[in-house]
Amino acid sequence: EVHLVASGGGLVQPGRSLRLSCSASGFTFGDWAVSWVRQAPGRGLEWVSSIRSEGYGGTTEYAASVKDRFTISRDDSKSIAYLQMSSLKPEDTAVYYCARRDCNNIFCAALDPWGQGTPVIVSS
Amino acid sequence: EIVMTQSPATLSVSPGERATLSCRASQSVGSNLAWYQQKPGQAPRLLIYSGSARASGVPDRFSGSGSGTEFTLTISSLQSGDFAVYYCQQHNDWPETFGPGTKVDIK
């Protein structure tokens, strides 16, 4: 069974950093892209970042709201994707989900499946 | 950035009735449109991809249609487990964007 588990969330002060992990199982992780999507309390979904498989160069995409502050990466030997978040702001408070997807050089397909999400609270 | 809008914001439906949800894109997204279902406290679940293809395990009472800028998700006969929030997402262009969601609740 394909399974993703997001972890690493917690309470962090504004301006500090946090690293989220997305652990995958049940499929060949290196063949797939991974995305992070967040959901602020009581709000809708916001795409955050995506990383393609190494077969497509492992290239990355970011939302403007996190570009230059967040870095997505992957370790295919461990079947884990990461989201390194720095210079955190209160508006980054959200549940962060990771999801698998198929991407080529140009675009990515739908997100499926999603992990259960890890909460991040940015507050002093 | 492509702006996605959904209507209505809330849809009150009785079990067994039909529900029709709309999603509109500010510019053409071709068929690169997905629908997700989210229940309280759960992660979203893919229902429809490429505008009209049902994801694995999704009951055939869920159907999607449309292309370009206008899309529709239809639930033919609502069951108790279908009361949830439904989001559309365009993945045709970066940044990918979601609609604000339609909440389907019990009438």
Side-chain angles (χ1 to χ4, degrees):
Chain A
E1 182 188 0
V2 175
H3 200 51
L4 294 99
V5 177
S7 62
L11 174 63
V12 60
Q13 293 180 327
R16 302 298 290 267
S17 298
L18 197 64
R19 188 179 77 164
L20 306 182
S21 299
C22 176
S23 300
S25 61
F27 64 101
T28 303
F29 182 76
D31 291 345
W32 295 84
V34 175
S35 293
W36 288 93
V37 175
R38 67 185 180 183
Q39 186 169 36
R43 305 294 294 274
L45 302 170
E46 179 188 15
W47 168 80
V48 173
S49 183
S50 297
I51 185 167
R52 294 176 178 82
S53 66
E54 289 302 325
Y56 287 102
T59 53
T60 58
E61 308 285 349
Y62 295 95
S65 58
V66 306
K67 191 173 175 60
D68 300 326
R69 297 189 301 122
F70 290 11
T71 302
I72 191 171
S73 62
R74 61 190 298 151
D75 184 339
D76 291 349
S77 69
K78 297 180 179 178
S79 297
I80 299 178
Y82 300 100
L83 186 68
Q84 178 69 46
M85 306 185 293
S86 61
S87 302
L88 281 161
K89 306 174 181 180
E91 52 263 41
D92 295 319
T93 294
V95 173
Y96 285 72
Y97 298 99
C98 61
R100 186 189 76 168
R101 67 195 313 184
D102 191 13
C103 293
N104 58 28
N105 281 328
I106 299 173
F107 86 113
C108 295
L111 298 148
D112 181 46
W114 298 53
Q116 92 291 355
T118 186
V120 173
I121 302 171
V122 184
S123 175
S124 53
Chain B
E1 171 176 317
I2 298 175
V3 177
M4 306 300 292
T5 56
Q6 291 184 243
S7 61
T10 303
L11 186 60
S12 296
V13 185
S14 299
E17 288 188 340
R18 181 186 192 92
T20 302
L21 289 66
S22 295
C23 173
R24 176 176 291 179
S26 61
Q27 62 191 75
S28 177
V29 299
S31 294
N32 295 313
L33 189 286
W35 290 94
Y36 302 90
Q37 176 194 66
Q38 187 179 34
K39 298 179 182 179
Q42 296 185 17
R45 168 199 178 197
L46 176 67
L47 294 177
I48 301 290
Y49 63 95
S50 298
S52 61
R54 267 189 304 276
S56 176
V58 174
D60 60 8
R61 63 179 180 275
F62 291 92
S63 63
S65 63
S67 66
T69 61
E70 301 281 346
F71 298 86
T72 300
L73 174 69
T74 302
I75 311 171
S76 61
S77 177
L78 270 150
Q79 299 189 6
S80 58
D82 300 336
F83 294 97
V85 179
Y86 293 84
Y87 294 95
C88 61
Q89 178 217 11
Q90 69 81 16
H91 50 92
N92 188 68
D93 197 12
W94 302 104
E96 298 180 345
T97 45
F98 290 86
T102 290
K103 182 179 181 180
V104 178
D105 65 16
I106 301 174
K107 187 175 183 180

mmCIF file of all heavy atoms in Angstrom, chain A residues 22-39:
data_model
loop_
_atom_site.group_PDB
_atom_site.id
_atom_site.type_symbol
_atom_site.label_atom_id
_atom_site.label_comp_id
_atom_site.label_asym_id
_atom_site.label_seq_id
_atom_site.Cartn_x
_atom_site.Cartn_y
_atom_site.Cartn_z
ATOM 1 N N CYS A 22 8.839 13.941 4.968
ATOM 2 C CA CYS A 22 7.757 13.157 4.369
ATOM 3 C C CYS A 22 8.338 11.777 4.058
ATOM 4 O O CYS A 22 9.114 11.636 3.106
ATOM 5 C CB CYS A 22 7.248 13.838 3.114
ATOM 6 S SG CYS A 22 5.990 12.902 2.219
ATOM 7 N N SER A 23 7.970 10.805 4.872
ATOM 8 C CA SER A 23 8.482 9.448 4.708
ATOM 9 C C SER A 23 7.513 8.625 3.872
ATOM 10 O O SER A 23 6.310 8.606 4.146
ATOM 11 C CB SER A 23 8.675 8.794 6.076
ATOM 12 O OG SER A 23 9.591 9.531 6.843
ATOM 13 N N ALA A 24 8.045 7.955 2.863
ATOM 14 C CA ALA A 24 7.196 7.225 1.921
ATOM 15 C C ALA A 24 7.461 5.728 1.988
ATOM 16 O O ALA A 24 8.576 5.289 2.297
ATOM 17 C CB ALA A 24 7.435 7.738 0.505
ATOM 18 N N SER A 25 6.449 4.944 1.669
ATOM 19 C CA SER A 25 6.588 3.498 1.608
ATOM 20 C C SER A 25 5.567 2.929 0.630
ATOM 21 O O SER A 25 4.587 3.599 0.280
ATOM 22 C CB SER A 25 6.384 2.880 2.996
ATOM 23 O OG SER A 25 5.096 3.170 3.489
ATOM 24 N N GLY A 26 5.826 1.714 0.153
ATOM 25 C CA GLY A 26 4.871 1.037 -0.710
ATOM 26 C C GLY A 26 5.046 1.305 -2.184
ATOM 27 O O GLY A 26 4.240 0.834 -2.993
ATOM 28 N N PHE A 27 6.072 2.064 -2.554
ATOM 29 C CA PHE A 27 6.331 2.336 -3.973
ATOM 30 C C PHE A 27 7.798 2.737 -4.139
ATOM 31 O O PHE A 27 8.502 2.999 -3.161
ATOM 32 C CB PHE A 27 5.395 3.421 -4.507
ATOM 33 C CG PHE A 27 5.575 4.787 -3.869
ATOM 34 C CD1 PHE A 27 6.281 5.794 -4.518
ATOM 35 C CD2 PHE A 27 5.018 5.072 -2.631
ATOM 36 C CE1 PHE A 27 6.437 7.045 -3.932
ATOM 37 C CE2 PHE A 27 5.161 6.310 -2.037
ATOM 38 C CZ PHE A 27 5.884 7.300 -2.690
ATOM 39 N N THR A 28 8.240 2.798 -5.380
ATOM 40 C CA THR A 28 9.619 3.191 -5.667
ATOM 41 C C THR A 28 9.704 4.712 -5.611
ATOM 42 O O THR A 28 9.393 5.409 -6.582
ATOM 43 C CB THR A 28 10.057 2.661 -7.040
ATOM 44 O OG1 THR A 28 9.900 1.244 -7.079
ATOM 45 C CG2 THR A 28 11.529 3.008 -7.299
ATOM 46 N N PHE A 29 10.116 5.208 -4.471
ATOM 47 C CA PHE A 29 10.082 6.643 -4.187
ATOM 48 C C PHE A 29 10.816 7.450 -5.247
ATOM 49 O O PHE A 29 10.342 8.505 -5.669
ATOM 50 C CB PHE A 29 10.711 6.891 -2.813
ATOM 51 C CG PHE A 29 10.703 8.318 -2.373
ATOM 52 C CD1 PHE A 29 9.544 8.921 -1.913
ATOM 53 C CD2 PHE A 29 11.875 9.061 -2.394
ATOM 54 C CE1 PHE A 29 9.539 10.248 -1.489
ATOM 55 C CE2 PHE A 29 11.885 10.388 -1.965
ATOM 56 C CZ PHE A 29 10.718 10.973 -1.521
ATOM 57 N N GLY A 30 11.929 6.957 -5.716
ATOM 58 C CA GLY A 30 12.753 7.711 -6.652
ATOM 59 C C GLY A 30 12.102 7.956 -8.000
ATOM 60 O O GLY A 30 12.553 8.821 -8.752
ATOM 61 N N ASP A 31 11.045 7.236 -8.316
ATOM 62 C CA ASP A 31 10.370 7.394 -9.599
ATOM 63 C C ASP A 31 9.307 8.487 -9.585
ATOM 64 O O ASP A 31 8.709 8.780 -10.624
ATOM 65 C CB ASP A 31 9.698 6.080 -10.017
ATOM 66 C CG ASP A 31 10.702 5.003 -10.384
ATOM 67 O OD1 ASP A 31 11.883 5.340 -10.598
ATOM 68 O OD2 ASP A 31 10.294 3.829 -10.436
ATOM 69 N N TRP A 32 9.070 9.079 -8.435
ATOM 70 C CA TRP A 32 7.937 9.987 -8.273
ATOM 71 C C TRP A 32 8.368 11.356 -7.759
ATOM 72 O O TRP A 32 9.362 11.494 -7.051
ATOM 73 C CB TRP A 32 6.921 9.390 -7.295
ATOM 74 C CG TRP A 32 6.280 8.146 -7.800
ATOM 75 C CD1 TRP A 32 6.783 6.874 -7.721
ATOM 76 C CD2 TRP A 32 5.030 8.040 -8.483
ATOM 77 N NE1 TRP A 32 5.925 5.976 -8.306
ATOM 78 C CE2 TRP A 32 4.825 6.670 -8.781
ATOM 79 C CE3 TRP A 32 4.051 8.955 -8.866
ATOM 80 C CZ2 TRP A 32 3.689 6.203 -9.435
ATOM 81 C CZ3 TRP A 32 2.912 8.488 -9.499
ATOM 82 C CH2 TRP A 32 2.750 7.132 -9.790
ATOM 83 N N ALA A 33 7.548 12.335 -8.099
ATOM 84 C CA ALA A 33 7.699 13.668 -7.535
ATOM 85 C C ALA A 33 6.931 13.770 -6.225
ATOM 86 O O ALA A 33 6.060 12.933 -5.940
ATOM 87 C CB ALA A 33 7.188 14.713 -8.524
ATOM 88 N N VAL A 34 7.272 14.776 -5.455
ATOM 89 C CA VAL A 34 6.597 15.024 -4.183
ATOM 90 C C VAL A 34 6.264 16.509 -4.091
ATOM 91 O O VAL A 34 7.047 17.366 -4.518
ATOM 92 C CB VAL A 34 7.489 14.627 -2.989
ATOM 93 C CG1 VAL A 34 6.820 15.010 -1.666
ATOM 94 C CG2 VAL A 34 7.774 13.130 -3.008
ATOM 95 N N SER A 35 5.100 16.789 -3.543
ATOM 96 C CA SER A 35 4.694 18.171 -3.305
ATOM 97 C C SER A 35 4.319 18.363 -1.848
ATOM 98 O O SER A 35 3.938 17.414 -1.155
ATOM 99 C CB SER A 35 3.491 18.553 -4.186
ATOM 100 O OG SER A 35 3.843 18.591 -5.541
ATOM 101 N N TRP A 36 4.430 19.635 -1.411
ATOM 102 C CA TRP A 36 3.925 20.027 -0.103
ATOM 103 C C TRP A 36 2.776 21.007 -0.331
ATOM 104 O O TRP A 36 2.874 21.914 -1.166
ATOM 105 C CB TRP A 36 5.021 20.695 0.721
ATOM 106 C CG TRP A 36 6.072 19.755 1.221
ATOM 107 C CD1 TRP A 36 7.252 19.442 0.618
ATOM 108 C CD2 TRP A 36 6.049 19.006 2.446
ATOM 109 N NE1 TRP A 36 7.947 18.543 1.367
ATOM 110 C CE2 TRP A 36 7.244 18.250 2.510
ATOM 111 C CE3 TRP A 36 5.133 18.888 3.502
ATOM 112 C CZ2 TRP A 36 7.556 17.409 3.572
ATOM 113 C CZ3 TRP A 36 5.436 18.038 4.562
ATOM 114 C CH2 TRP A 36 6.628 17.321 4.597
ATOM 115 N N VAL A 37 1.722 20.813 0.420
ATOM 116 C CA VAL A 37 0.537 21.669 0.386
ATOM 117 C C VAL A 37 0.192 21.999 1.832
ATOM 118 O O VAL A 37 0.274 21.122 2.697
ATOM 119 C CB VAL A 37 -0.651 20.957 -0.297
ATOM 120 C CG1 VAL A 37 -1.922 21.818 -0.220
ATOM 121 C CG2 VAL A 37 -0.312 20.620 -1.743
ATOM 122 N N ARG A 38 -0.186 23.243 2.104
ATOM 123 C CA ARG A 38 -0.516 23.603 3.470
ATOM 124 C C ARG A 38 -1.942 24.118 3.581
ATOM 125 O O ARG A 38 -2.547 24.538 2.589
ATOM 126 C CB ARG A 38 0.470 24.633 4.013
ATOM 127 C CG ARG A 38 0.407 26.002 3.354
ATOM 128 C CD ARG A 38 1.522 26.904 3.908
ATOM 129 N NE ARG A 38 1.517 28.230 3.307
ATOM 130 C CZ ARG A 38 2.417 29.169 3.575
ATOM 131 N NH1 ARG A 38 3.405 28.923 4.428
ATOM 132 N NH2 ARG A 38 2.335 30.350 2.984
ATOM 133 N N GLN A 39 -2.436 24.086 4.819
ATOM 134 C CA GLN A 39 -3.797 24.532 5.098
ATOM 135 C C GLN A 39 -3.790 25.282 6.426
ATOM 136 O O GLN A 39 -3.615 24.666 7.481
ATOM 137 C CB GLN A 39 -4.745 23.338 5.149
ATOM 138 C CG GLN A 39 -6.207 23.707 5.281
ATOM 139 C CD GLN A 39 -7.113 22.505 5.064
ATOM 140 O OE1 GLN A 39 -6.796 21.380 5.446
ATOM 141 N NE2 GLN A 39 -8.255 22.738 4.437
#
